[in-house]
């Protein structure tokens, strides 16, 4: 007997048959005596369909009205899932973000949750109902409908789990958990039974698109155990994300993350003075370009070399801005590379194992892979390599850190 | 400068192009200095699409959840129309039934409005916004979403017009007004420039499907001038429905209404005692069968013949029930006719012209049309005839009462 919040994404509720399958799964938990809050997304494709209608009228449609529009997607799903649950004898009641008092700020299209009222949900659970909640939506101070931004249903689920003090927040998706790396690159990748919030944040931000990063932050902040599961497989326990580290100590790293479509820009011979980085990055930030890794090397002659990485889509624009900055600063040439990829190892285990970075560098070196940039944090090491070596690098590191065996152990 | 409530039905907002056309029309009124509240339905086909999804899950889906589901249809339209208005420089804001505080009872799927809060709408009009309101929906005392039943957007419009004391409530539809009869039956049918509430009620209930009858009742009750207009024609002034009678006194009747798919049932030799009608009709009512005309003839021998008409779909079921009643009452045979139609003349003018019914009977007689049942009220005379004579009867009466000329006069 537990209080569970279960979140089903767009693919999991993408058809009438899948909604019926979700209802059956919820009923099995309910029959076990669990209390269930279900958070759902719009049926897959629906949000895009609605946004396309708005775009036909106005490419720059007002954010408030776009929220009124797209929030109907989740509203359709909560009604259909409630009907499906009732049909199989499972009492259920639907709630919009407004009805459950999901208070947010008024940043339409990317609102942040300010407060969740647990009373409406607890009242319905008390009555024996499964509570079916529309994810992704809330209510602004002026009573307008807001949305949390795309994928925000994960955040809704975690926020509700925190508010009602759920035993676990289960995120059902189309993969059955978090893997040691992308199985499309390394077929021997294994599902992790558990991972810490910090590791998950590094994995997510590095490109393993399992969970919305904001929801992981939220879960860590409120200490809500989060479990990623497949909505299509019955017997997998998925991956539990929590503060605890349940793995054997032998598991030094948890996974290999990577990001394609990366580019780097370097400016040579900038004056080596405090705040020079801020001066260089200011026009980049004003152009709404996100910067990822930043490396600055002092040359010892009063100048420094400054390099940063960014998404490949922003490369041309950023290069132009940087050339202007170089002129203003009296710096040297600007050069860049838009054929690179980022490769990272992530794991809390490396804090106690100083040789980890060395193993990584050795492994890549043996494969003849040159590292153009290195950046480290307490629980990850990232390197920039030529994109053509990316798959080779992933497989080499996966093998070098024995991830196929480690994962096997912990899953048993 | 006026305060107008304009209602656009599903066909009028059935595509992006049509929504843009509605926006252009609203803007023209706005440019004239009018304050506008727009009430919209779901895009045509949308409500049926949503109900089909629910029916796939459960033919008898819970009414509360069906309301959550179908109310998304209007919500999509208010967002899209607001975006379209803003795009052409016309300030607009959308409101769901919940947001504007359209209070209803909790009869999901057929809720009745209990109170309309005008403050939210007036506040937005004050700010210079066109207020775009979702028709058909409201909020139950427990904050659940309700719907007013199909076609209920007309009622929403009238209720809002009454609450904000609008100068006129304009119902835009795919016909350009109320006609003297159905132009598909009598090509010389003419649009009426005006008609009274009472006449419209008789016309609507008799089958001229221009307006929801509940909205006409509501408009009469709160004395809201109602105008039916085409959303596809620019220059027609449609038909004004009000308490006043603007037509020439020569217009004795306003129109010929009719209803196909009618059936009648007669029970012979029932005991002629008080409340016998109630005894006979009780099982019919319990079976949710609506009865239309009722005629009872005392035979002078302590028995009476009792006849009523009903929708043809209910005929078989009702006949079975009536045969049971006949047995219980010790009455005579039950017989019926499911190949009949109802033909009516409607007009406040007939109150001062006692010869009107006579003209009707003479006209039908000259065409060899037999009347099986006659029922009269102050402003209408209805007769039941063999359905094969229906079109003939309509055309004969239209000519006999000179409706093509009368209508021409009043439209000039």
């Amino acid at each position: 007997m537990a209080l569970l919040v279960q979140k089903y994404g767009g693919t999991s509720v993408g058809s009438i048959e899948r909604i019926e399958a979700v209802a059956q799964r919820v009923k099995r938990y309910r029959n076990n005596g669990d209390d269930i809050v279900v958070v759902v997304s719009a049926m897959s494709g629906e949000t895009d369909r609605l946004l396309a209608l708005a775009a036909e009228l106005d490419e720059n449609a007002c954010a408030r009205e776009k929220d009124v529009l797209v929030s109907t997607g989740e509203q359709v799903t909560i009604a259909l899932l409630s009907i499906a649950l009732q049909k199989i004898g499972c009492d259920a009641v639907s709630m919009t973000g407004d009805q459950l008092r999901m208070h947010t700020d008024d940043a339409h299209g990317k609102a942040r949750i300010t407060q969740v009222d647990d009373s409406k949900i607890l009242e319905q659970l008390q009555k024996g109902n499964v509570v079916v909640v529309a994810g992704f939506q809330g209510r602004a101070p002026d009573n307008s409908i807001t949305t949390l931004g795309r994928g925000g249903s994960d955040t809704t689920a975690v926020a509700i789990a925190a508010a009602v003090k759920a035993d676990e927040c289960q995120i059902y998706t189309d993969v059955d958990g978090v893997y040691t790396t992308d199985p499309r690159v390394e077929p021997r990748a294994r599902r992790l039974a558990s991972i810490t919030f910090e590791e998950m944040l590094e994995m997510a931000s590095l490109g393993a698109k399992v969970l919305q990063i904001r929801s992981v932050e939220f879960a860590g902040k409120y200490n809500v155990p989060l479990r990623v599961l497949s909505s299509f497989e019955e017997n997998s326990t998925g991956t539990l994300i929590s503060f605890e580290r349940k793995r054997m100590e032998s598991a030094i790293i948890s996974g290999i993350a990577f990001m394609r479509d990366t580019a780097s820009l370097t400016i040579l011979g900038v004056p080596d003075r405090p705040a020079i980085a801020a001066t260089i990055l200011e026009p980049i930030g004003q152009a709404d370009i996100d910067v990822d890794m930043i490396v600055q090397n002092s040359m010892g002659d009063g100048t420094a070399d400054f390099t940063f990485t960014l998404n490949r889509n922003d490369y041309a624009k950023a290069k132009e801005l940087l050339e202007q900055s170089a002129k203003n600063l009296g710096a040297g040439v600007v050069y860049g590379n838009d054929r690179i990829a980022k490769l990272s190892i992530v794991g809390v285990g490396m804090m106690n194992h100083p040789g980890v970075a060395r193993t990584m560098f050795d492994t890549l070196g043996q494969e003849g892979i040159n590292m153009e940039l290195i950046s480290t944090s307490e629980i990850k090491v990232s390197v920039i390599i030529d994109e053509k070596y990316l798959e080779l690098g992933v497989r080499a590191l996966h093998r070098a850190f024995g991830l196929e065996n480690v994962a096997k152990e912990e899953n048993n």
Side-chain angles (χ1 to χ4, degrees), chain A:
Chain A
M1 293 232 326
L3 171 50
L4 302 176
V5 175
Q6 300 187 330
K7 183 257 169 178
Y8 295 90
T11 316
S12 306
V13 294
S15 68
I16 292 293
E17 293 68 33
R18 288 189 174 174
I19 288 172
E20 286 172 326
V22 168
Q24 290 291 354
R25 181 187 294 264
V26 170
K27 192 189 180 188
R28 275 195 297 280
Y29 277 93
R30 194 78 192 97
N31 287 349
N32 274 347
D34 295 328
D35 284 327
I36 316 275
V37 180
V38 185
V39 176
V40 288
S41 302
M43 295 170 77
S44 52
E46 185 63 7
T47 305
D48 287 335
R49 184 184 75 85
L50 291 167
L51 286 174
L53 288 176
E56 262 191 79
L57 288 165
D58 187 353
E59 284 291 345
N60 302 305
C62 148
R64 179 191 188 274
E65 299 302 337
K66 277 204 289 191
D67 280 355
V68 173
L69 183 67
V70 297
S71 62
T72 62
E74 285 73 25
Q75 190 170 324
V76 166
T77 317
I78 57 173
L80 293 177
L81 180 56
S82 299
I83 289 168
L85 283 164
Q86 290 164 359
K87 172 75 175 177
I88 56 174
C90 196
D91 290 341
V93 66
S94 71
M95 279 192 192
T96 63
D98 183 86
Q99 285 170 342
L100 76 87
R101 307 278 181 270
M102 176 69 71
H103 296 284
T104 72
D105 60 20
D106 62 359
H108 286 285
K110 51 181 178 184
R112 285 189 172 264
I113 296 169
T114 53
Q115 197 208 324
V116 186
D117 182 349
D118 60 351
S119 68
K120 305 282 171 190
I121 294 175
L122 293 175
E123 187 185 302
Q124 291 297 335
L125 290 174
Q126 205 74 42
K127 290 185 186 168
N129 282 314
V130 171
V131 185
V132 182
V133 170
F136 175 64
Q137 59 186 233
R139 172 207 272 200
D142 73 349
N143 274 353
S144 290
I145 295 167
T146 54
T147 65
L148 309 180
R150 300 202 74 170
S153 292
D154 289 356
T155 306
T156 303
V158 173
I160 288 174
V164 302
K165 299 176 182 58
D167 295 294
E168 201 169 277
C169 179
Q170 303 178 333
I171 309 287
Y172 288 87
T173 173
D174 45 4
V175 298
D176 74 338
V178 181
Y179 275 67
T180 51
T181 194
D182 186 338
R184 286 169 300 185
V185 172
E186 169 53 273
R188 278 170 293 190
R190 302 295 304 230
R191 178 171 56 80
L192 292 160
S194 71
I195 188 173
T196 70
F197 287 118
E198 296 90 337
E199 288 172 325
M200 189 63 216
L201 285 174
E202 296 289 359
M203 295 285 271
S205 67
L206 292 171
K209 292 165 190 166
V210 179
L211 276 171
Q212 282 294 310
I213 190 158
R214 257 165 77 186
S215 70
V216 179
E217 284 171 20
F218 219 97
K221 188 170 168 192
Y222 292 99
N223 197 8
V224 175
L226 202 58
R227 188 181 292 277
V228 180
L229 296 140
S230 165
S231 50
F232 304 111
E233 273 179 51
E234 277 308 314
N235 299 316
S236 166
T237 54
T239 300
L240 179 67
I241 309 161
S242 66
F243 277 116
E244 283 171 85
R245 193 165 172 256
K246 294 188 176 162
R247 285 192 303 290
M248 317 274 174
E249 280 306 303
S250 64
I252 297 173
I253 76 159
S254 293
I256 317 287
F258 57 86
M259 191 155 52
R260 303 178 198 268
D261 300 325
T262 295
S264 69
L265 279 166
T266 299
I267 175 168
L268 296 179
V270 296
D272 191 5
R273 62 168 194 246
I276 189 71
T279 307
I280 295 169
L281 292 177
E282 200 190 347
I284 306 289
Q286 277 172 353
D288 259 340
I289 295 170
D290 279 336
V291 164
D292 184 14
M293 293 164 72
I294 301 172
V295 174
Q296 184 176 336
N297 277 337
S298 180
M299 296 289 107
D301 63 351
T303 71
D305 296 346
F306 186 89
T307 301
F308 60 87
T309 66
L310 70 170
N311 189 288
R312 201 170 289 169
N313 292 331
D314 297 323
Y315 178 71
K317 174 75 181 160
K319 189 153 189 276
E320 208 177 294
L321 291 168
L322 207 59
E323 277 158 357
Q324 189 56 51
S325 292
K327 207 173 290 174
N328 297 345
L329 290 167
V333 290
V334 168
Y335 69 84
N337 187 346
D338 63 349
R339 292 291 153 214
I340 56 175
K342 178 168 152 184
L343 179 58
S344 310
I345 56 173
V346 176
V348 293
M350 71 174 70
M351 287 192 282
N352 308 317
H353 291 79
V356 168
R358 173 74 181 276
T359 305
M360 182 187 197
F361 304 154
D362 279 352
T363 306
L364 295 177
Q366 280 159 24
E367 300 290 346
I369 302 172
N370 193 37
M371 293 171 288
E372 301 195 7
L373 219 57
I374 298 170
S375 168
T376 62
S377 80
E378 290 209 326
I379 63 166
K380 76 161 180 192
V381 181
S382 297
V383 300
I384 291 292
I385 60 173
D386 188 322
E387 65 173 356
K388 71 182 175 189
Y389 295 123
L390 180 63
E391 290 80 3
L392 174 63
V394 168
R395 286 191 294 262
L397 292 175
H398 201 268
R399 197 169 47 242
F401 288 101
L403 284 175
E404 61 200 77
N405 306 318
V406 169
K408 207 175 282 172
E409 272 174 42
E410 63 169 318
N411 281 325
N412 288 339

